[in-house]
Amino acid sequence: MAGRSVFNFSEWTRDNELAHQAGHAVIRRDMPPSSYRMLHDHARLTHEEKVELARGLHATFGVPWRE
């Protein structure tokens, strides 16, 4: 997957300049990709779940949350 080569959660020691965009990518429905969502029903989140996930990503990476 191209996404993993750009932003890989398994590589915690690697600096990632895109960390500040992780939560907003979830809100914008950029992640997970639509092709993944079509195959995995559990990946379809409610708006509230997306906001909760986005807030958690921002907290994990020390990025201030703004809706």
Side-chain angles (χ1 to χ4, degrees), residues 13-57:
T13 57
R14 177 178 151 189
D15 284 340
N16 201 316
E17 58 216 36
L18 298 177
H20 69 282
Q21 296 180 19
H24 292 293
V26 171
I27 298 294
R28 287 189 314 263
R29 296 188 58 161
D30 294 342
M31 291 304 292
S34 58
S35 58
Y36 183 88
R37 288 191 309 266
M38 288 186 339
L39 296 173
H40 303 277
D41 284 337
H42 65 277
R44 294 183 185 145
L45 304 177
T46 67
H47 178 72
E48 291 78 19
E49 290 170 326
K50 290 176 197 171
V51 169
E52 186 176 343
L53 175 57
R55 285 183 177 156
L57 288 167

